[in-house]
Amino acid sequence: MKMLKLNYSIITTVILLLSAVGCSDRNVNELANSASYPTTPEVFIDGFSAGLNYSAWGKVTNFQVDYSTVYRGSASMRFDVPNAGDPFGSTAGGVFQTSLPRNLSGYTALTFWAKATETDTLSSIGFGESNVNGADVASHKVTLNKLVLTTTWTKYYMPIPDPSKLTAETGMFWYWIDPRNGGKGFTFWIDEMKFENIGTITNPSGVMFSGKDMVFNNIENGTYSIPDVTGSFNLPDGINQSESFAPGYLTLTSTNPGVANVNTPGKYTVTGSGSTLITARLNGAHVQGSALVISIGPPVLPSNALTPNTTQYPASTVKSIYSDTYPNVTVDSYEPFWTWSGGGMTTNYSIYSINGNHVIRYTNFNDTYHQNGVLVAISFETVPVDISAMTTFHMDVFVPANSPNATNKLTISLEDWSGNYGGVSSMGSYKSSSALATGSWVSLEIPLSAFTGLNGKSHLVHIILNNFPTVTFVDNVFFHK
């Protein structure tokens, strides 16, 4: 199910330090206190600008510097997209980031020249994506989907939604490319990549919540994210180009700050009961779509939490995703935001301690695209999990008695990417025949054989939770035999 994939999917990571600057060993947090950062616009001009690091995703040998095929000067960036089924990875991806943040507020777009061996499509490219001290940073991520390249060198533009927000950016460029045309790979080149101040990029517009005026009922105190925004910009060639970007570019407004404040970029924090209308502006222009938040105040928590019986589930027979009882695998996110054509997810999660036991609490389980079933996913793409020896999936779930959509019949899916490692990728789904009981913990014990369609099990990357009640607590997520 290819659409169930993050915009950026780290399968295998290798870091190649291409160049360094004298201050590269300084802590980024310390640098954040500096009065200013360099305004260096160049990313690649016959070589990499100072302090640039490269980290590969997918097939890690997909990138190299090319000294024979160039647009101008002596070198270009060459990217080889592998064929589908390549045992070393059937996707090409990577991120170019700087050791020292840059002040890009004086520029309006990332520009570059590109061509390919044949007319083909780049799945997703952008900027504003980086990894700082082991943590993914994408508060100002920009994504351009399905960019068509031809065999002729052409200049491309990626507008910055609001340049004033980029005063300390480390993510210069990222890309994620699947083979197209029946799984056939291809090669493309990028040259003269830099940030520019182009005064002829005009008419910026933004749309959040797919342009809908959303109503969120029974919202409890907590911090909630605005989903990714789509925008349109008029380019110098007269084309209106669409791209998606992180909500950190928006300036949010709350009509009732006593109910929810908007002090954190791209998020609103509910602090009391009542209602408030959340609206946004992009670089001074009105953003279509809004959120009417109706809050009930403090969250309703379970009175207890469950602890797995280690006699029944010995640690040697368990592969744990989330539990205080067992060592857990490496998890990228308990709530990855997948962007869909036509909508975006608004689910949020928090970790609560109940008598010393930590549980995940999902709220606003909502996806504006899937009207008949809302979903979220626990993702561990960086280090896929081998469940070949396991027989059963276990998860403890608590639905508060007052949770909206408590009658939903949940679906749980498991997605395996063995195809990226020489095997066969697959997804299997389990659909409950009844709704969960409310007001008490329910322990789900689901045989892996019940996940219809799941074949490969050696490289599991997603546990997808679909059609759950609006407020749901989750704990002790593990596989066992």
Side-chain angles (χ1 to χ4, degrees):
M1 190 173 180
K2 287 297 182 182
M3 68 178 178
L4 290 181
K5 182 165 63 180
L6 294 173
N7 289 336
Y8 52 98
S9 306
I10 304 177
I11 298 173
T12 307
T13 304
V14 59
I15 304 232
L16 307 174
L17 184 62
L18 300 176
S19 58
V21 292
C23 60
S24 62
D25 59 346
R26 293 174 60 189
N27 187 284
V28 172
N29 291 329
E30 295 176 0
L31 291 171
N33 296 320
S34 300
S36 63
Y37 294 117
T39 59
T40 308
E42 296 86 4
V43 179
F44 185 97
I45 308 291
D46 290 335
F48 294 92
S49 53
L52 200 68
N53 304 315
Y54 171 64
S55 179
W57 307 331
K59 186 174 182 178
V60 297
T61 58
N62 72 79
F63 164 76
Q64 61 182 296
V65 177
D66 193 326
Y67 296 97
S68 58
T69 302
V70 301
Y71 167 71
R72 179 183 295 153
S74 58
S76 69
M77 295 188 289
R78 170 176 169 161
F79 303 90
D80 296 309
V81 182
N83 295 320
D86 190 313
F88 297 102
S90 59
T91 53
V95 60
F96 297 86
Q97 62 187 39
T98 55
S99 304
L100 178 68
R102 296 183 186 179
N103 183 348
L104 303 176
S105 61
Y107 309 108
T108 59
L110 175 66
T111 68
F112 56 91
W113 290 80
K115 77 167 190 172
T117 51
E118 58 187 71
T119 298
D120 222 311
T121 303
L122 304 188
S123 309
S124 300
I125 63 172
F127 58 88
E129 166 76 17
S130 61
N131 185 287
V132 178
N133 295 333
D136 182 64
V137 177
S139 57
H140 293 107
K141 181 180 178 181
V142 171
T143 301
L144 179 59
N145 292 314
K146 299 180 180 179
L147 179 67
V148 177
L149 301 185
T150 69
T151 57
T152 303
W153 284 106
T154 305
K155 188 172 185 178
Y156 296 91
Y157 303 83
M158 291 194 63
I160 302 174
D162 184 352
S164 68
K165 306 290 187 181
L166 297 188
T167 57
E169 183 56 54
T170 57
M172 299 294 104
F173 177 63
W174 66 268
Y175 64 100
W176 179 257
I177 314 299
D178 290 309
R180 300 291 175 179
N181 295 333
K184 179 183 176 183
F186 63 99
T187 297
F188 67 96
W189 293 265
I190 290 179
D191 201 356
E192 300 291 306
M193 175 175 279
K194 61 185 176 181
F195 289 90
E196 292 188 72
N197 186 355
I198 301 174
T200 50
I201 293 181
T202 59
N203 300 323
S205 65
V207 176
M208 65 180 185
F209 301 116
S210 301
K212 299 176 182 178
D213 295 320
M214 305 293 290
V215 178
F216 300 130
N217 288 299
N218 299 296
I219 301 303
E220 300 169 336
N221 288 2
T223 298
Y224 301 85
S225 298
I226 300 293
D228 279 358
V229 181
T230 56
S232 177
F233 306 83
N234 188 261
L235 302 183
D237 55 11
I239 295 176
N240 286 320
Q241 178 170 288
S242 296
E243 60 186 29
S244 64
F245 47 89
Y249 285 102
L250 301 179
T251 299
L252 300 179
T253 299
S254 170
T255 59
N256 191 345
V259 172
N261 65 64
V262 290
N263 299 330
T264 303
K267 300 180 179 181
Y268 59 92
T269 300
V270 178
T271 58
S273 59
S275 63
T276 186
L277 183 66
I278 305 296
T279 58
R281 301 187 75 82
L282 174 65
N283 208 2
H286 172 72
V287 172
Q288 186 179 355
S290 65
L292 176 61
V293 178
I294 302 173
S295 170
I296 61 174
V300 177
L301 303 178
S303 60
N304 68 325
L306 299 185
T307 301
N309 185 331
T310 54
T311 300
Q312 181 181 5
Y313 308 111
S316 60
T317 66
V318 168
K319 185 83 69 171
S320 181
I321 308 299
Y322 183 86
S323 176
D324 286 335
T325 303
Y326 307 104
N328 298 316
V329 302
T330 301
V331 174
D332 298 326
S333 174
Y334 295 102
E335 174 209 23
F337 276 174
W338 287 325
T339 300
W340 308 76
S341 58
M345 298 192 307
T346 56
T347 310
N348 290 269
Y349 84 95
S350 303
I351 304 296
Y352 281 83
S353 177
I354 300 175
N355 299 325
N357 195 331
H358 297 89
V359 301
I360 304 173
R361 178 175 177 274
Y362 290 106
T363 56
N364 202 23
F365 228 112
N366 186 284
D367 171 12
T368 58
Y369 182 77
H370 280 262
Q371 300 296 328
N372 297 318
V374 294
L375 58 85
V376 75
I378 301 173
S379 176
F380 29 92
E381 296 179 13
T382 301
V383 184
V385 177
D386 186 353
I387 60 169
S388 300
M390 303 292 110
T391 61
T392 308
F393 173 73
H394 178 99
M395 183 170 67
D396 294 329
V397 182
F398 181 98
V399 178
N402 68 338
S403 177
N405 302 316
T407 59
N408 284 7
K409 297 177 182 179
L410 58 85
T411 297
I412 300 173
S413 301
L414 306 178
E415 186 171 13
D416 180 271
W417 280 2
S418 293
N420 291 323
Y421 301 87
V424 177
S425 296
S426 63
M427 175 182 284
S429 297
Y430 163 83
K431 296 183 179 181
S432 175
S433 59
S434 60
L436 295 169
T438 62
S440 63
W441 284 98
V442 176
S443 292
L444 301 176
E445 282 278 301
I446 307 172
L448 292 184
S449 59
F451 288 89
T452 305
L454 182 65
N455 297 316
K457 302 176 185 177
S458 59
H459 295 85
L460 195 74
V461 292
H462 296 140
I463 299 173
I464 302 162
L465 311 179
N466 188 4
N467 205 37
F468 274 54
T470 301
V471 178
T472 303
F473 291 83
V474 171
D475 195 11
N476 301 316
V477 181
F478 58 83
F479 299 89
H480 66 89
K481 61 180 179 180

